[in-house]
Amino acid sequence: MLQIPLWKRVVILGVVLLGVLYAMPNAFYSRVEAHNDAAAAIEAAGATPEREAAASAWPDVLPSSLVNLGLDLRGGAHLLAEVQVDQVYAARLDSLWPDVRDALREVRDEVGTIRRVDTEDGTLRVRISQAGGMAAALETVRALSQPVGTLTGGTQSTLDVSGSGDTITVQLSEAERAATDDRTMRQSLEIIRRRIDEVGTREPTIQRQGEDRILIQVPGIGSAEELKALIGTTAQLTFLPVVGQAASAEADAGPGNIIHPSLDEEGVFYILERSPVVTGEDLTDAQPAFDQNGRPSVTFRFGPSGARAFGQYTAENVGNPFAIVLDEEVISAPVIREAIPGGSGQITGNFTVEDSTQLAVLLRAGALPAEMTFLEERTIGPELGQDSIEAGRIACIVAGIAVLLFMALSYGWFGILANVALMLNVAMIFGILSAIGATLTLPGIAGIVLTIGMAVDANVLVFERIREELKTARGPARAIELGYERAQSAIVDANITTFITATILFLMGSGPVRGFAITLGVGILTSIFTAIFVTRLLIVFWFERRRPKTIEV
Amino acid sequence: MRLRLVPQETNYDFFRWRKTTFGASMVAMVLSLVVWLSVGLNFGIDFQGGTTIRTESTQAVDVGAYRAALQPLNLGDVSITEVFDPSFGADENVAMVRIQAQDGEESVTAETVNAVEAALQQVDPSITFPSVESVGPKVSGELVQAAVLAVAAALVAIMFYIWLRFEWQFSIGAVVALFHDVLLTIGLFSLFQIRFDLATIAALLTIVGYSINDTVVIFDRVRENLIKYKKKPLQEVMNLSVNETLSRTVMTSGTTLIALIALLVLGGDVIRGFVFAITWGIVVGTYSSVYVAKNIVLMLGTKRDWSKPDEGAGTNFGTPNA
């Protein structure tokens, strides 16, 4: 007969209770959110009376995780960026050039004079005047290469060095490119994260996607443009020796040199050596400040190796100008008056206070190793999100009430029991979503409404089956038992197929669609659970008290 | 007193109009295909690249004036549609401005968006821009691929599962029914030029999920009745099964439609296309379970001896344990 062992009853009720407990914070969303923020603030910056008050608004013993609201509900900006990973190859080879030059100079007897050839294809080409010394030259350059582990477990060298005629071509090997790409991506992720954290915003999402893409979602930010300005600037700071000035960007710079425009002097171009003395990577700190004339500036400090290189260079080049270059523009090109051994300095330019603050933030967070292009940008205003939540809430309530009424009218007392299960079901969906830290999106709300409609299906299957069994079975208890037994295969089969589609949606979807897949999938699980266990338990409780001779479903 | 949408015992002959209904389904599928191929879908920026800007203003939307303001910017194909919704207040006038992907740009640049916003502000100073979304052609191409792949993967996975649990005839029947639902939805979207975007694909998969759910419940009953009535002709067994599950089919479709209609009316305009697709799909999905899937199985026939538990078909885990 209708028997459920005590332990099973306890487990079922326990699971339901846990679900409801975890769902509860969402009913007091703003209060719990304030509590969480305050708790985090106390953790980070110590307690203040206001924080204490906000933190005590929600008891610590209760669960306090909330369903994250997606960008379409909270408002904010979404960017999908592609990192131009191959830009780094050229930079790597540029920094290799001085080593190649020095190494080849040591075998000058065999190779003669050397000259760098300008290339555009991410390779380093060197022409030697005595083509007969090619073998020695190749050997010398190859000695600069180092072994690098590959994905397949073997080792390759970092450089592919080849020679033809009088020209040596150096490029990064495939394994080294892959390793460089990975490093570039990790660096980019880290720097974006630091820059966004500097601004201090709630729960940003910064994720690597695929080989060379980064997904950035920042709730509460005004627009994608603002976000782009923050993270899209490479902030590549370099200190380059100045060769001379030019009248236009097309002027002949000479081998190994580049031309960059001046930031604030129109029509002024500097011819600079390509290989930097020091770069922004050598910086350990940057702060906004004012120079002796009271103009906004940025002070910076180098780490030990940067300080040494900078000190040595300035000592050797007193009286010569050097250029401070930010993202291919010359901020200033002062003349070195004396050696600067301390490793700290000041950048002055035509800055506003905001400029200098922003520049200091960017320098401190570090430069992005490569530029990014933005493939996808979305800005959603907070009011639109609020409207969507409001509309979704009303639709949920109306849909819920209509379904509850329909069920009660159709199945009477059994319908009411199913309704209790349905409400617990919705609570459990929210409980699970909060517990796993899932994100609720607008289609996700639609998923919940859809689940409200579909969740009754399993109960309907059982009830219809009980109705049928009542015609033939001996007594109501047997009919209920058979109803559950015989409906089960239909319930399981039907829901597994739906779950398959939810899984596929989750795997292929992103953002809002994924939010929908999660609520749909979680909804299927909870509705099977409530139909097979919870409604059944409720019916058994009722049946044990009443012991009815006949039932009407 | 009970609400009974379906009498306690029914004995409708669902196969009486078999040829007509099946033929009508086939014609509808062909028509959908024709409309789809001739008129084409109104792809959203997810699949085509481009930018949409949602505008909101206290003044009435003047599409002509907006268009005239954007004309000098030379943005190529610009579409402007006013959005209506019962939830909007009297001073909420919303429009969607859509700009095609610009040549040689991965995503529409800030300058373009700023120029558009400035031009519209000239027309209507009170205008605001609650959302701006821009997708580059590179990503939209990949999204199309992913979407096609997802729908195909869902169909294959379901076909495989049904074959595992039932018989191959059932899995063909189920998948043809799903094709029918998906194609009819695409046809409707082409016909009325409703925006077809990533959310619509999610809706299609939901339809697939719901429709298969419905089909499986009936198949399950057919399987059971085939064991029970070994000598009855297949057509009668199937008809009986549909009749026996009719009450459940109506109840479940009913509650689902109730919930969806609430969402359709009250859920706001942002997800209306999405909800509309699902609502339509529930209707055709329910129909196709009875009139398409079953007809296919009937045409293909099936084995009649189900007494042996396994013959290439999967295990039955429908045993109760609580």
Side-chain angles (χ1 to χ4, degrees):
Chain A
M1 296 298 273
L2 285 175
Q3 265 153 11
I4 300 179
L6 184 63
W7 69 268
K8 228 172 215 178
R9 297 181 183 205
V10 173
V11 169
I12 293 169
L13 289 179
V15 170
V16 170
L17 205 69
L18 209 64
V20 174
L21 202 64
Y22 270 94
M24 210 163 54
N26 296 296
F28 306 92
Y29 204 96
S30 52
R31 194 193 291 184
V32 180
E33 193 168 48
H35 159 84
N36 290 352
D37 288 349
I42 291 171
E43 181 84 19
T48 63
E50 300 92 70
R51 285 175 188 159
E52 291 282 4
S56 62
W58 183 254
D60 280 332
V61 288
L62 291 174
S64 58
S65 33
L66 292 164
V67 171
N68 292 322
L69 295 180
L71 279 192
D72 54 349
L73 295 180
R74 173 168 276 172
H78 162 118
L79 286 178
L80 182 66
E82 190 171 64
V83 181
Q84 305 297 309
V85 285
D86 38 1
Q87 282 183 350
V88 179
Y89 307 153
R92 283 282 306 275
L93 290 169
D94 279 341
S95 65
L96 193 69
W97 163 240
D99 294 342
V100 172
R101 184 185 54 199
D102 293 349
L104 286 175
R105 269 181 193 160
E106 282 176 23
V107 288
R108 190 175 296 175
D109 304 345
E110 288 170 76
V111 301
T113 57
I114 50 172
R115 229 174 66 121
R116 180 172 180 182
V117 186
D118 280 327
T119 57
E120 297 295 329
D121 57 353
T123 60
L124 173 64
R125 287 217 182 105
V126 183
R127 188 166 291 149
I128 55 177
S129 63
Q130 295 173 17
M134 181 55 83
L138 287 180
E139 195 184 329
T140 311
V141 178
R142 282 202 182 112
L144 295 170
S145 185
Q146 284 152 356
V148 58
T150 62
L151 288 173
T152 47
T155 50
Q156 263 190 20
S157 32
T158 49
L159 302 175
D160 279 346
V161 185
S162 60
S164 94
D166 60 352
T167 311
I168 308 170
T169 305
V170 184
Q171 53 186 340
L172 300 181
S173 69
E174 211 161 296
E176 179 62 9
R177 281 176 191 223
T180 307
D181 287 356
D182 196 54
R183 210 160 38 231
T184 307
M185 288 306 289
R186 268 191 254 171
Q187 247 173 344
S188 304
L189 275 173
E190 182 55 34
I191 285 159
I192 291 172
R193 189 164 294 140
R194 266 191 268 165
R195 287 185 185 177
I196 290 176
D197 284 349
E198 287 262 3
V199 186
T201 167
R202 191 200 310 275
E203 294 158 19
T205 307
I206 301 153
Q207 265 170 6
R208 180 169 176 182
Q209 276 199 338
E211 287 285 301
D212 55 0
R213 294 194 182 160
I214 298 175
L215 172 74
I216 306 140
Q217 293 188 324
V218 183
I221 199 164
S223 73
E225 210 178 313
E226 220 171 283
L227 183 57
K228 247 161 61 173
L230 178 66
I231 60 171
T233 333
T234 42
Q236 193 87 254
L237 184 73
T238 48
F239 292 78
L240 299 171
V242 176
V243 177
Q245 280 201 3
S248 80
E250 279 78 40
D252 181 26
N257 295 335
I258 40 172
I259 297 187
H260 285 326
S262 166
L263 181 64
D264 21 76
E265 294 162 281
E266 191 94 1
V268 175
F269 295 87
Y270 290 91
I271 304 173
L272 310 165
E273 278 184 32
R274 198 185 283 262
S275 301
V277 179
V278 278
T279 70
E281 280 171 48
D282 298 308
L283 287 181
T284 53
D285 192 23
Q287 293 295 338
F290 293 92
D291 68 0
Q292 60 270 35
N293 302 323
R295 292 183 308 169
S297 68
V298 175
T299 57
F300 59 88
R301 178 176 298 282
F302 288 118
S305 68
R308 200 174 322 117
F310 193 59
Q312 196 182 351
Y313 178 80
T314 48
E316 287 167 4
N317 290 278
V318 173
N320 295 332
F322 77 100
I324 302 173
V325 180
L326 182 73
D327 289 339
E328 310 196 335
E329 286 183 317
V330 178
I331 294 182
S332 65
V335 172
I336 302 165
R337 297 223 176 77
E338 53 185 354
I340 307 171
S344 65
Q346 194 171 40
I347 304 172
T348 51
N350 206 353
F351 298 143
T352 63
V353 177
E354 287 80 39
D355 288 344
S356 68
T357 313
Q358 168 95 345
L359 181 59
V361 165
L362 291 173
L363 291 180
R364 204 158 55 228
L368 283 173
E371 273 175 52
M372 296 191 291
T373 45
F374 295 96
L375 306 180
E376 203 183 315
E377 301 169 23
R378 299 177 196 263
T379 310
I380 291 118
E383 311 83 28
L384 186 60
Q386 197 52 49
D387 289 351
S388 297
I389 294 181
E390 208 40 58
R393 195 203 309 271
I394 293 170
C396 257
I397 293 171
V398 171
I401 291 174
V403 170
L404 294 182
L405 261 173
F406 190 48
M407 282 297 282
L409 281 176
S410 299
Y411 295 106
W413 174 244
F414 276 66
I416 291 168
L417 292 183
N419 285 341
V420 174
L422 179 61
M423 287 187 277
L424 290 175
N425 189 10
V426 174
M428 280 170 72
I429 293 177
F430 273 100
I432 292 179
L433 290 180
S434 317
I436 64 176
T439 301
L440 186 67
T441 60
L442 186 54
I445 294 181
I448 291 178
V449 175
L450 187 66
T451 310
I452 293 177
M454 286 172 69
V456 297
D457 182 49
N459 282 312
V460 168
L461 276 168
V462 171
F463 292 168
E464 290 293 331
R465 198 72 208 213
I466 294 177
R467 272 186 188 172
E468 284 175 47
E469 299 303 331
L470 274 173
K471 293 178 210 156
T472 52
R474 299 171 298 275
R478 182 77 188 138
I480 292 171
E481 202 180 321
L482 280 176
Y484 270 100
E485 196 173 298
R486 299 211 168 135
Q488 203 142 349
S489 79
I491 294 175
V492 171
D493 274 338
N495 282 295
I496 284 181
T497 47
T498 316
F499 197 76
I500 290 174
T501 56
T503 311
I504 289 170
L505 259 183
F506 178 79
L507 292 179
M508 75 131 247
S510 63
V513 173
R514 184 168 269 203
F516 172 72
I518 291 174
T519 51
L520 193 65
V522 169
I524 290 168
L525 294 180
T526 55
S527 65
I528 295 184
F529 174 79
T530 50
I532 295 186
F533 297 109
V534 180
T535 323
R536 192 178 201 169
L537 188 64
L538 292 173
I539 291 173
V540 169
F541 278 146
W542 166 76
F543 200 84
E544 282 173 351
R545 285 169 62 94
R546 290 292 186 79
R547 296 261 162 221
K549 290 275 177 289
T550 57
I551 55 170
E552 195 194 347
V553 181
Chain B
M1 196 212 82
R2 289 294 158 83
L3 180 72
R4 291 248 180 205
L5 297 180
V6 177
Q8 188 112 31
E9 200 125 354
T10 59
N11 194 17
Y12 300 119
D13 184 1
F14 283 99
F15 290 102
R16 189 165 165 201
W17 307 108
R18 196 180 128 192
K19 295 218 169 76
T20 318
T21 51
F22 193 69
S25 287
M26 292 302 126
V27 169
M29 280 171 80
V30 171
L31 280 182
S32 295
L33 201 64
V34 168
V35 175
W36 179 15
L37 295 180
S38 60
V39 183
L41 284 165
N42 174 16
F43 283 119
I45 55 165
D46 290 343
F47 293 137
Q48 213 173 32
T51 303
T52 54
I53 301 173
R54 186 184 171 97
T55 69
E56 193 179 318
S57 168
T58 50
Q59 296 175 28
V61 173
D62 184 347
V63 173
Y66 285 10
R67 193 177 299 280
L70 298 182
Q71 197 65 46
L73 298 176
N74 285 325
L75 297 168
D77 187 17
V78 176
S79 82
I80 302 164
T81 39
E82 187 168 1
V83 180
F84 301 96
D85 193 274
S87 71
F88 291 160
D91 58 348
E92 257 181 298
N93 299 290
V94 178
M96 296 294 278
V97 177
R98 194 172 130 195
I99 306 158
Q100 71 172 66
Q102 304 293 302
D103 286 339
E105 287 174 14
E106 253 323 314
S107 70
V108 174
T109 56
E111 290 86 65
T112 313
V113 174
N114 287 342
V116 170
E117 293 189 351
L120 292 177
Q121 253 150 3
Q122 286 285 318
V123 179
D124 180 354
S126 73
I127 205 164
T128 55
F129 306 97
S131 83
V132 178
E133 305 188 44
S134 165
V135 178
K138 197 168 179 177
V139 172
S140 63
E142 292 168 4
L143 289 176
V144 169
Q145 257 181 9
V148 171
L149 205 69
V151 175
L155 292 180
V156 170
I158 285 168
M159 192 149 94
F160 183 72
Y161 183 78
I162 302 289
W163 172 67
L164 200 74
R165 293 283 287 147
F166 297 91
E167 285 281 298
W168 65 269
Q169 292 91 342
F170 287 79
S171 86
I172 301 277
V175 169
V176 172
L178 295 182
F179 254 123
H180 169 265
D181 303 340
V182 170
L183 207 53
L184 255 55
T185 310
I186 290 178
L188 190 79
F189 269 65
S190 309
L191 189 63
F192 291 111
Q193 290 293 296
I194 305 167
R195 196 163 53 132
F196 192 93
D197 54 19
L198 217 49
T200 318
I201 293 292
L204 278 182
L205 286 181
T206 313
I207 295 168
V208 165
Y210 183 87
S211 171
I212 193 66
N213 187 315
D214 215 42
T215 307
V216 164
V217 168
I218 303 182
F219 278 179
D220 182 77
R221 187 58 72 104
V222 171
R223 179 171 58 186
E224 189 187 324
N225 283 340
L226 281 172
I227 299 168
K228 216 157 143 193
Y229 309 104
K230 290 209 167 50
K231 294 282 177 286
K232 232 180 214 185
L234 183 58
Q235 182 169 338
E236 276 178 41
V237 174
M238 289 192 140
N239 199 38
L240 177 71
S241 308
V242 177
N243 272 298
E244 282 177 353
T245 49
L246 187 63
S247 174
R248 172 267 162 192
T249 306
V250 171
M251 267 309 287
T252 301
S253 306
T255 51
T256 310
L257 282 177
I258 286 175
L260 284 172
I261 287 168
L263 196 60
L264 195 61
V265 178
L266 303 168
D269 71 288
V270 182
I271 51 167
R272 181 144 302 133
F274 175 67
V275 178
F276 177 72
I278 299 183
T279 313
W280 163 255
I282 301 294
V283 175
V284 292
T286 308
Y287 165 85
S288 73
S289 302
V290 177
Y291 286 102
V292 178
K294 228 117 290 112
N295 273 321
I296 301 269
V297 177
L298 192 59
M299 279 179 222
L300 295 172
T302 181
K303 70 164 184 179
R304 294 307 307 267
D305 183 9
W306 288 75
S307 51
K308 285 185 219 101
D310 184 50
E311 246 168 67
T315 48
N316 192 340
F317 33 74
T319 42
N321 50 5

